[in-house]
Amino acid sequence: MSMINDLIYFETPALWEDFGGTSGGYGGLVWQVFIWSLIVGLIVFVWMAYNLIYFRHKEGDPEHKDSLKAGVFPHERGDAKIELAWTIAPLILAIWLTFISLAPLDYLWDIPEEDDVDIVIEVTAVQWQWTFDFPNDYEVPEDFTKCGELNEAGVRQQNEITTYDCLELPHDSMVRFNINSNDVLHAFYIPEIGVKHDAVPNIETLVWIDTGQVDPGEYNLYCAEYCGESHSRMLANIYITEA
Amino acid sequence: MNNKSLKILSVGFLISILVALSAFPTGDALSSGITGSTTSTVEANGCSCHGPEVTTSVSIELTLPENFTAGGTYTLTLNISGGPNDGVRGENYGGFFVTATHGILEPLENDTSVQKPFDKTHLTHTTEGNDYRGWNFSWTAPDRDDVIVTFTAYGNSVNGDGGASNADRWNSGSFDLMGVNAVAISDKHVELTTPQKMIYAFTILAVTLGVVVIGNRMVTNEQAFEEVLRDAWKAIYPWLTTTDHKYIGLLYISTGFIFLFIAGFLALLLRVQLFEADNDFMTDQEYNSTFTMHGTTMIFMAAMPIIFGFANYLVPLQIGARDLAFPRLNALSYWLLPTGGLLIYAGYFTGGAGDVGWTGYAPYSSGDTATKPGTDFWVAGQIMLGASSTLTAINFLTTILRMRAPGVTFMKMPLYTWSMFITVFLLLLSIPVFTVALILLMADRTFGTLYFDISAGGDAVLWQHLFWYFGHPEVYILILPAFGILSEVTSTFSRRPIFGYTSMVYAMASIGIISFVVYGHHMFTSGADPFFRFAVMLTTMLVGVPTGIKIFNWLATMTGGSIVTKTPMLFALGTILTFTIGGITGVILAMLPLDIALHDTYFVIGHLHYVAVGGVLFAFLAGVYYWYPKMIGKMLSEKLGLLHFTLSFISFNVAFYPMHHVGLAGMPRRYASYDSSLTELNQLISIGAFVFGIAQIILVYNLIYSFKYGEEAGDNPWDGWSLEWATSSPPPHNSFKEIPTLKLAEEAE
Ligand code: HEM
Ligand SMILES: [Cu+2]
Ligand SMILES: [Cu+2]
């Protein structure tokens, strides 16, 4: 994509788009915020441009009667009605934006119980590596080899139950991540799926995704909370594979 | 120090060492060998993923020849013994990692148990070699034989479960091999890191410059060396001993701008590193130290001092006082600033400045992997800066409450003074909390306490609460004075009173109050209580309301005015635009579900620079152009000012606007490398940043040029109303010949 395109096109995580344009979903939220941002920004820009066009000082302009004099507190200027209006309007907007945030928040934070999901993965973050543990009774599909070891011939073998910096998940399943850290803070972040949560020592944090909401393929996992020297290399690949 | 306290001290040290060891990080080990990013982990911490500590139950033997000749090739053997399942061979039995300071390590031909990972110089086992406890490999000597080569080997005795576990045991060993002509004392050079080299270069440059200036004086004035020094001392002495608010103000402002340029230089180093997706301009650790020093310097040693500098100079003038309430305390506050700053920067000479980010999150900062002692220097210096700010806050509060001239009642104070009044109020309530947190952190790091120690059951989120309780009010401590300046400048250059003076005051006051109950928006993805996080989304949204009122009031001030577009006004107009963008992105971040996606990405970096540079710095540049005539008595060049503004405004947006896109594409902040698909945008950002940096040289030139050749300013060059314009430029020694009385427009007519 060209750079100009990059600059005007705001890419949204895949999940948000797949939520559709309803105000209950992410897609709707992003869209609404975009519109409101544009409106507020335009009001300020246009008003300022208007001021600069119509109220520029010209040589020989008469001084206004309430113009400023050193050592004299000037006349009060203002209009209670107008000021009240631009107090109440942003207040309503703020409440509205909070309100429309609730549904997506509810969706994100409504973490399903372990019994209600297809796979529970124990994620352990340490400086500077991700470890993914499937449940002990999990059968790794035979053709899941993205994270397997190389054999002598250089061919990838079937994945193990425990993988490092690499995770292969079946498409169309509910996955819950139980996230732990063994040393400092880290954060589990998959930009294209729009999930992020800190990995906190001594506290298990939870994230869930529905891999049916995104296309099969390769996704990047980043550590998003600064954790020391190799923070920027604490990456992992997430593969979502058609089972 | 007597014997007893020495003993206590050593016990303290012992405890802290034990604590440090117990918090030892766990890394990883791979059955497929140590390659890629794991290398640096092993080099730093050993095989820490297999249990926390070195164990002597595992022994490591490297068989070496007696000595070596230049260019010779030798076969070496590494054996490990001891640890779990002590056998010679078995499934997943062991692993190793070996490096040499000189020469080249290579696997033997056709040996599939040893590998040299791509792009690395060390050797490690392969998946197959993981079934052995002994490995052979070759080493080719360097082409000199007068050195001692050190081999560092890690051996891991694994229990065979195929994963890293605490039942595994490992050890490391270091082996020296002498060249035939080597002398027993090794001549290993310590390589200087890039920042170290730069600092040495700058030191040499400064010393040379000093010699040239002094030499020049000696020759042109035919003075003896002592005379030159005596004259210099005479010039400096008043500055060292002054308690006059105007002198201290200028000291604060110039110190702030010097630090601003240092931190700006660091930022450009960061942008050089990010010019390419996977650059090796800096090491990871250097990158981390650099962004830490950049952020810390910008907030605490550039922005805050510039703010206090202007306040020192202007608040007494605007309220008609001769000085601050406690002039000596004021001098102490100032001198704590360069001292604390130097202390923090001294970290660079200890092998790595603090690398904990400006937020200093524990348990990373309290643990053992943060730079040592660089981070200790950072903590100690921050405590001094905190003390400085606390004292300043008390000083200004007292001054504004008690020392206003006749006629300057609360609701007749200029909005700039109002903004400082609320600022120091926030400061007094918030910064002691941060200082106390830093003292706890220092105790953890040096005395072995356990406040933030997670292995002792500490709460890993505690620091974030303590920090952001201060940290959020802090961002308003930075922006409120900027609001104050914008109010003064828009009103003066529209030649009309500010629109809605009263609502401006109430808006600032309510921002001040709300800012104490919103800090949780920095912790939306943390492990903090969900209800807490939800509640602060609401309150954060509310901050947008008074902020909006202020923007609309400025615009309304201009409507119906007679706008004069001199440089201060240009900067003020630019600030209103960029700050509006920063405010909008702030509201976007306040929406919890969106922040979950955007937190800790470049989107946040974009937001915070739109408010911190586009809001705070630009407003203070407006302040420089607005009050320089008052402080120095000369006008700044308008032509240079226009050029400075245009270049700054355009390059600022080029540098920072694309950060939002980079963030939406998923690039996390504090990253020294990134996905190569983002290279173009990052290069655009870097170029913008460089132009922005260079544009600031115009300001420096303008300041110096106008000091010498500027037009005389006169008392009131811009036709302002507040009391500083009623005295001479620069003001006389005691600021006012006679304490003035502020008149009311109604009376004056
Ligand atoms: C309209 C007013 C503002 C709102 C609603 C707002 C909101 C936010 C939010 C929600 C975050 C957290 C983002 C995240 O970490 O994911 C944030 C970060 C930040 N903001 Fe603001 N903000 C506002 C004004 C300011 C101002 C005036 C400044 C400074 C002059 C500022 C400086 C910062 C900084 C430094 C951070 C980054 C903190 C970090 O290191 O994580 N903000 N802001
Ligand atoms: Cu990290
Ligand atoms: Cu905040």
Side-chain angles (χ1 to χ4, degrees):
Chain A
M1 204 183 285
S2 80
M3 182 119 92
I4 300 298
N5 240 332
D6 278 355
L7 279 177
I8 48 177
Y9 180 67
F10 279 88
E11 208 159 356
T12 47
L15 186 70
W16 302 4
E17 282 171 358
D18 291 347
F19 251 71
T22 66
S23 64
Y26 257 143
L29 192 60
V30 172
W31 187 233
Q32 279 231 16
V33 169
F34 181 69
I35 298 290
W36 284 117
S37 301
L38 215 61
I39 292 175
V40 174
L42 277 180
I43 291 176
V44 173
F45 279 57
V46 170
W47 191 355
M48 182 180 286
Y50 165 80
N51 284 338
L52 285 176
I53 293 166
Y54 290 99
F55 299 104
R56 277 289 269 284
H57 179 75
K58 283 175 226 72
E59 215 50 60
D61 273 0
E63 284 289 351
H64 204 276
K65 64 178 184 320
D66 61 8
S67 67
L68 311 172
K69 285 173 207 71
V72 180
F73 185 82
H75 282 284
E76 286 253 19
R77 217 181 132 199
D79 183 321
K81 274 200 205 105
I82 295 178
E83 287 167 55
L84 205 62
W86 62 52
T87 308
I88 291 172
L91 191 66
I92 293 173
L93 183 58
I95 292 170
W96 172 245
L97 291 179
T98 312
F99 177 72
I100 61 171
S101 299
L102 293 183
L105 189 63
D106 188 48
Y107 173 80
L108 269 180
W109 277 1
D110 189 12
I111 315 270
E113 293 298 321
E114 297 202 356
D115 295 336
D116 300 339
V117 297
D118 300 315
I119 308 172
V120 179
I121 294 176
E122 300 289 331
V123 181
T124 312
V126 292
Q127 285 169 320
W128 290 275
Q129 189 182 44
W130 297 101
T131 308
F132 303 101
D133 284 299
F134 282 93
N136 279 332
D137 57 359
Y138 179 73
E139 298 273 346
V140 183
E142 255 172 58
D143 53 346
F144 275 33
T145 57
K146 292 275 182 356
C147 307
E149 288 185 10
L150 288 177
N151 68 6
E152 274 97 20
V155 180
R156 288 224 175 266
Q157 303 297 291
Q158 186 184 6
N159 297 342
E160 309 265 350
I161 280 187
T162 300
T163 53
Y164 301 94
D165 290 342
C166 186
L167 178 66
E168 190 163 10
L169 294 170
H171 190 55
D172 250 338
S173 31
M174 300 272 274
V175 184
R176 169 172 149 149
F177 299 94
N178 297 341
I179 304 167
N180 286 285
S181 162
N182 281 350
D183 39 45
V184 300
L185 297 166
H186 303 272
F188 178 94
Y189 173 37
I190 313 175
E192 288 150 299
I193 304 185
V195 291
K196 181 181 294 114
H197 210 297
D198 289 9
V200 186
N202 295 347
I203 299 176
E204 181 167 270
T205 54
L206 307 173
V207 160
W208 71 281
I209 61 175
D210 176 355
T211 59
Q213 295 281 344
V214 294
D215 294 331
E218 184 184 345
Y219 295 88
N220 291 324
L221 171 83
Y222 294 98
C223 173
E225 183 63 63
Y226 177 62
C227 58
E229 180 171 348
S230 300
H231 167 58
S232 39
R233 312 200 186 278
M234 192 166 157
L235 319 172
N237 294 320
I238 309 287
Y239 297 95
I240 294 178
T241 308
E242 205 82 66
Chain B
M1 210 185 271
N2 63 23
N3 249 342
K4 194 165 163 231
S5 53
L6 264 184
K7 243 183 228 155
I8 297 178
L9 195 66
S10 47
V11 171
F13 269 119
L14 216 73
I15 295 176
S16 62
I17 290 169
L18 284 180
V19 170
L21 278 179
S22 71
F24 209 82
T26 47
D28 76 284
L30 299 171
S31 52
S32 55
I34 293 145
T35 59
S37 67
T38 324
T39 309
S40 54
T41 317
V42 174
E43 278 169 345
N45 311 318
C47 321
S48 46
C49 29
H50 300 267
E53 284 162 54
V54 182
T55 35
T56 45
S57 67
V58 175
S59 62
I60 297 191
E61 210 41 69
L62 182 66
T63 320
L64 295 171
E66 210 126 288
N67 52 33
F68 70 87
T69 51
T73 300
Y74 303 86
T75 300
L76 315 179
T77 305
L78 179 75
N79 279 303
I80 58 174
S81 54
N85 298 359
D86 190 9
V88 189
R89 182 162 186 178
E91 193 69 17
N92 295 327
Y93 254 24
F96 79 103
F97 175 94
V98 64
T99 59
T101 51
H102 298 76
I104 298 162
L105 290 164
E106 284 290 351
L108 295 176
E109 236 175 273
N110 298 329
D111 183 352
T112 50
S113 64
V114 175
Q115 61 164 329
K116 182 170 176 173
F118 174 71
D119 223 12
K120 303 276 187 237
T121 55
H122 70 268
L123 297 183
T124 185
H125 57 273
T126 58
T127 312
E128 185 196 332
N130 164 10
D131 300 341
Y132 299 94
R133 290 213 166 158
W135 302 271
N136 297 320
F137 42 86
S138 87
W139 174 73
T140 308
D143 46 16
R144 53 193 291 199
D145 54 15
D146 56 349
V147 291
I148 302 178
V149 179
T150 306
F151 293 89
T152 309
Y154 292 90
N156 191 1
S157 174
V158 195
N159 64 2
D161 66 1
S165 86
N166 283 345
D168 305 339
R169 290 288 174 270
W170 59 278
N171 200 350
S172 68
S174 176
F175 307 89
D176 285 348
L177 176 59
M178 294 196 22
V180 284
N181 286 320
V183 204
I185 304 151
S186 100
D187 67 346
K188 273 183 283 176
H189 297 288
V190 184
E191 258 296 313
L192 293 180
T193 63
T194 320
Q196 273 174 330
K197 279 182 206 155
M198 288 194 164
I199 283 168
Y200 290 142
F202 273 114
T203 314
I204 293 169
L205 211 72
V207 171
T208 321
L209 215 67
V211 170
V212 169
V213 168
I214 293 177
N216 179 350
R217 276 290 161 110
M218 287 166 68
V219 174
T220 49
N221 298 0
E222 290 187 14
Q223 287 176 314
F225 181 63
E226 298 85 66
E227 281 175 296
V228 178
L229 283 195
R230 201 174 309 132
D231 282 357
W233 179 245
K234 252 193 226 151
I236 296 171
Y237 187 77
W239 291 99
L240 295 181
T241 52
T242 183
T243 58
D244 183 317
H245 73 99
K246 296 188 291 300
Y247 281 77
I248 293 184
L250 290 175
L251 279 175
Y252 258 120
I253 296 173
S254 31
T255 314
F257 271 97
I258 289 171
F259 274 122
L260 185 85
F261 277 90
I262 294 175
F265 177 73
L266 294 179
L268 294 184
L269 293 184
L270 297 175
R271 287 319 312 181
V272 173
Q273 167 76 12
L274 296 179
F275 199 75
E276 250 141 49
D278 220 337
N279 205 341
D280 53 9
F281 173 71
M282 286 193 251
T283 64
D284 289 353
Q285 197 274 318
E286 281 165 4
Y287 186 86
N288 297 344
S289 285
T290 308
F291 74 65
T292 300
M293 296 302 279
H294 164 74
T296 307
T297 308
M298 280 299 188
I299 305 258
F300 296 102
M301 293 175 243
M304 304 256 286
I306 292 174
I307 287 169
F308 291 145
F310 275 90
N312 249 292
Y313 206 105
L314 296 167
V315 167
L317 293 181
Q318 289 199 331
I319 63 174
R322 291 201 194 281
D323 206 322
L324 287 180
F326 311 112
R328 278 161 188 258
L329 195 67
N330 194 21
L332 173 64
S333 303
Y334 169 73
W335 286 104
L336 279 171
L337 161 70
T339 329
L342 285 179
L343 187 57
I344 295 179
Y345 269 85
Y348 267 120
F349 297 95
T350 65
D355 69 342
V356 293
W358 82 280
T359 50
Y361 273 17
Y364 175 66
S365 58
S366 63
D368 214 44
T369 44
T371 48
K372 218 173 169 84
T375 300
D376 299 287
F377 282 39
W378 181 88
V379 174
Q382 287 278 55
I383 293 174
M384 294 176 78
L385 298 180
S388 157
S389 302
T390 311
L391 297 178
T392 302
I394 293 170
N395 212 340
F396 276 99
L397 266 185
T398 316
T399 308
I400 297 174
L401 283 173
R402 306 295 305 162
M403 295 174 65
R404 278 167 288 127
V408 190
T409 58
F410 259 107
M411 291 313 276
K412 297 279 176 291
M413 288 200 308
L415 283 172
Y416 174 71
T417 295
W418 253 115
S419 74
M420 278 314 299
F421 181 62
I422 295 166
T423 296
V424 292
F425 202 81
L426 294 184
L427 195 61
L428 186 64
L429 290 181
S430 67
I431 207 162
V433 176
F434 181 41
T435 309
V436 167
L438 284 165
I439 291 172
L440 300 186
L441 180 58
M442 183 174 73
D444 264 19
R445 288 185 61 85
T446 34
F447 313 134
T449 55
L450 305 170
Y451 296 105
F452 302 108
D453 190 313
I454 50 133
S455 58
D459 181 345
V461 190
L462 172 63
W463 174 271
Q464 292 174 48
H465 283 287
L466 293 174
F467 180 83
W468 287 115
Y469 177 82
F470 148 78
H472 190 79
E474 169 70 19
V475 305
Y476 286 99
I477 288 164
L478 300 179
I479 200 71
L480 284 174
F483 286 173
I485 293 180
L486 291 181
S487 302
E488 303 283 321
V489 172
T490 41
S491 154
T492 300
F493 288 86
S494 303
R495 302 198 181 237
R496 296 209 49 194
I498 194 85
F499 187 91
Y501 173 91
T502 315
S503 67
M504 285 300 230
V505 171
Y506 282 112
M508 281 198 283
S510 47
I511 289 177
I513 293 166
I514 300 175
S515 73
F516 276 100
V517 290
V518 300
Y519 74 83
H521 61 222
H522 299 272
M523 298 160 66
F524 279 157
T525 71
S526 72
D529 184 42
F531 179 74
F532 166 74
R533 289 184 268 160
F534 168 71
V536 295
M537 164 167 69
L538 256 169
T539 51
T540 303
M541 285 288 187
L542 292 183
V543 183
V545 176
T547 311
I549 295 177
K550 299 201 67 90
I551 293 176
F552 292 138
N553 278 350
W554 292 323
L555 291 169
T557 304
M558 298 187 327
T559 305
S562 177
I563 303 167
V564 184
T565 46
K566 293 278 173 56
T567 318
M569 187 59 169
L570 288 179
F571 268 102
L573 294 174
T575 311
I576 293 174
L577 294 184
T578 44
F579 178 75
T580 300
I581 296 177
I584 289 173
T585 53
V587 171
I588 292 175
L589 287 170
M591 298 176 67
L592 222 163
L594 299 187
D595 186 74
I596 285 173
L598 298 173
H599 174 68
D600 270 341
T601 66
Y602 262 74
F603 193 91
V604 173
I605 305 298
H607 156 72
L608 88 87
H609 286 92
Y610 263 84
V611 286
V613 179
V616 182
L617 182 64
F618 277 5
F620 274 87
L621 288 176
V624 168
Y625 283 96
Y626 186 56
W627 279 302
Y628 181 91
K630 176 55 59 184
M631 294 173 179
I632 306 296
K634 301 278 181 65
M635 302 301 286
L636 280 170
S637 153
E638 274 297 317
K639 245 193 220 146
L640 289 173
L642 180 63
L643 183 67
H644 176 216
F645 169 73
T646 317
L647 267 181
S648 299
F649 189 77
I650 294 173
S651 59
F652 165 78
N653 285 294
V654 171
F656 292 99
Y657 195 75
M659 285 190 182
H660 298 110
H661 297 81
V662 173
L664 283 161
M667 179 174 167
R669 65 192 287 203
R670 298 176 172 178
Y671 260 41
S673 57
Y674 51 86
D675 197 89
S676 53
S677 63
L678 296 174
T679 308
E680 276 190 359
L681 281 176
N682 269 298
Q683 291 184 340
L684 181 68
I685 293 173
S686 288
I687 293 168
F690 267 87
V691 177
F692 185 78
I694 291 166
Q696 305 316 307
I697 296 171
I698 302 172
L699 171 69
V700 177
Y701 179 76
N702 197 352
L703 293 175
I704 297 170
Y705 174 87
S706 303
F707 182 75
K708 286 196 176 145
Y709 308 111
E711 279 170 52
E712 288 300 323
D715 290 359
N716 193 2
W718 311 119
D719 294 325
W721 68 266
S722 45
L723 285 176
E724 79 266 29
W725 304 113
T727 183
S728 62
S729 310
H733 177 62
N734 264 331
S735 300
F736 293 99
K737 294 206 182 68
E738 224 174 277
I739 293 291
T741 303
L742 184 66
K743 295 194 220 44
L744 289 183
E746 289 77 10
E747 298 163 7
E749 273 153 13

